[in-house]
Amino acid sequence: MRALPPAHVFILVILAAAVVKMRRMRRGTGTCTSWSTAASAPRPATARPFATCLEHAHLMPYLVDEESVAFAMRAARAVGARRGDLRARRVPLHAPGPQPQGRPGRRPSWSSSPPWTTCSPRRRVVIKPADIDVLVVNCSIFTPVPVFADMVVNRYKLRADVKIVNLSGMGCSAGLVSVGLAKNVLQTAPPGTRVLIVSTEILSSQYYVGTERAMLLPNCLFRMGAAAMILSNSADHARFRLRRVVRTVTAARDADYRCVFQEEDDNGNTGIRLSKDLATTAGYALKNNIAAFGPLVLPAWEQLLVALTIIKRKLLSGRAKHGLGLSDDDVEASRMTLHRFGNTSSSSVLYELAYLEAKGRMGMGDRVWMISFGAGFDCNSVAWECLKPASNADGPWAECISRYPVQLPEIDKDM
């Protein structure tokens, strides 16, 4: 060392410190594994053809005027509702003359047959309800009393000492936020602790009945769905290992905070307003999230390639698919999920994972990157490593996976 020039010694010290730092960043802080995931297929009674929804919309004059109906139908076509729709639609479009906003009477149907009863994780892992130690339920829009977490406890008769958390108001990001919460709980919990996560969305209570286009869009974009997973800090029976969870919150910026916002319009109708700057806000959050997530999961040489790519072009110019350099195969699971089930909010990522497994594309050692966005504004990234591929495809795609992928029509640009 004494024979080396001081500049060389300084460089060696810097390199050694960088290697130690990278090893610490890449090293897990605890074992968190996924035993099972499951998503529900929509019941036939909840699916409605596009033409039927159009007819029913015209029969609800107290909800929207003719111009608003025309805009909603164009928006529905733009998100892929051109065919006979197999996706689960909200109650107001099932039949003419739904109850006005805020009226009681919808609760019994959910409490007697909650949407997660068809996607119980017990189908894939033999586990008794009494073995669940922690329950995390997320539903963004509808928060009844008692909350959904209590409904799950009552439905499956969980233990009296089960720890429950009910998340609301986080939008599509709530599913991965729940994963991060479960990870933190499991890091300090006794070995063998099991966490059940249930992600769902109940849309009927927030069906917007006004005429503002920014608030009509959520009526067209989302569908009903539910998914569940079991996480544990035991490696026994594990199918996935949770590697990293990174959450980016940009709510300190006023524009981001109001990007997805529940409020009343000028006529007192409550709804969710989507800002015209949504794409810009999502791009900003994604850029910051990737900057924090990348060094934790990418090898050094890949980080260098990313840095060079950023120098050559803006990472988020245009759509995420093109900005991130993703191929059609990379986004196939996401696009086919939207085609088959629609945007099911926080549970969408598990429908996409089920698609990959149903196609037999998930092998031992494969890594999965889940990304979600939500109100706040939030961007979440979760990295999984597959430990054991699924032995069968008995999930929501079981009856239709042979028909996918399908060719999707071009999105209408004239809205």
Side-chain angles (χ1 to χ4, degrees), residues 51-62 64-67 69-70 73 93 96:
T52 301
C53 297
L54 176 60
E55 178 185 358
H56 290 173
H58 281 98
L59 295 176
M60 298 187 289
Y62 70 93
V64 288
D65 56 25
E66 186 64 30
E67 183 179 351
V69 171
M73 293 305 105
L93 291 181

Side-chain angles (χ1 to χ4, degrees), residues 92-104:
L93 291 181
H94 286 183
Q99 293 180 344
Q101 211 173 26
R103 286 273 302 275

Side-chain angles (χ1 to χ4, degrees), residues 16 25 30 69 85 92 119 224 228 235 237-238 245-246 248 255 257 340 346 348 360 374 382 386 389 399 401:
M25 292 174 67
V69 171
D85 204 344
C119 67
M224 295 185 295
H237 308 293
V245 178
V246 174
T248 301
Y257 173 70
R340 174 63 180 89
S346 60
S348 294
V382 172
C386 181
E399 298 180 357
I401 191 62

